[in-house]
Amino acid sequence: MKNYKLRDYQQEASDSIVHEWEETASTLLLMATGGGKTTVCMDVIERYGGKALIVAHREELIIQARDTIISGTGLACEVEMAEWSAHSNGLFQHDVLVATIQTLNARNGDRKRMGKFKPEDYGLMMIDEAHHATSQSYRNVINYFAQNHKLRIVGPTATADRF
């Protein structure tokens, strides 16, 4: 159920991301604040067709992503953040998992929060505000979910110059 329409520049961005995957597993989506990065990402998730993980560092980004994906696509979307715990035991199969970087790294030694998800289930990762992705906490998550398979990564940001 596609309940959104991309603007021309958003369609071009989505097409470019998919095209980039022919050459590399990761790409940066540079778009100004308010330009519709979440909408482009939603389109990329639908085009990808597999399970996706969206990682962000603030609650409002998590809630915005979840609400936009559900209303725009109808995909099953769950949140892993603080007291919110996504189902991972097979009883409910979500299409998209939206999680905070802090929660995924909680108890990183035993990976209690991140470790309940099978890396091979997620072939697409979106790192919101991707200029943060060089930090060790993001590297932990990327390395975990990239185990034993090719993980496609999209990094939407308005401030790539902060890398």
Side-chain angles (χ1 to χ4, degrees), residues 18-27 48 51 119-125 142-153:
V18 172
H19 177 74
E20 280 293 311
W21 286 339
E22 295 171 13
E23 302 292 324
T24 185
S26 64
T27 188
Y48 173 71
K51 276 190 168 187
E120 62 273 11
D121 285 349
Y122 300 88
L124 174 59
M125 178 186 291
I142 292 167
N143 291 338
Y144 177 77
F145 283 98
Q147 298 179 65
N148 305 317
H149 75 289
K150 184 176 180 179
L151 179 67
R152 297 192 188 308
I153 300 172

Side-chain angles (χ1 to χ4, degrees), residues 89-103:
N89 59 6
L91 296 175
F92 179 74
Q93 293 298 317
H94 52 264
D95 301 303
V96 181
L97 173 64
V98 186
T100 62
I101 189 66
Q102 298 88 342
T103 297

Side-chain angles (χ1 to χ4, degrees), residues 79-145:
V79 172
E80 184 76 17
M81 174 180 68
E83 70 278 354
W84 297 12
S85 184
H87 297 85
S88 60
N89 59 6
L91 296 175
F92 179 74
Q93 293 298 317
H94 52 264
D95 301 303
V96 181
L97 173 64
V98 186
T100 62
I101 189 66
Q102 298 88 342
T103 297
L104 290 174
N105 274 284
R107 295 191 56 192
N108 192 38
D110 63 7
R111 293 193 170 134
K112 183 175 181 185
R113 295 295 290 263
M114 184 166 36
K116 73 181 198 175
F117 303 103
K118 295 179 185 173
E120 62 273 11
D121 285 349
Y122 300 88
L124 174 59
M125 178 186 291
M126 306 253 173
I127 302 174
D128 202 3
E129 303 290 345
H131 55 276
H132 295 289
T134 58
S135 73
Q136 188 59 52
S137 60
Y138 280 90
R139 298 304 316 161
N140 292 341
V141 172
I142 292 167
N143 291 338
Y144 177 77
F145 283 98

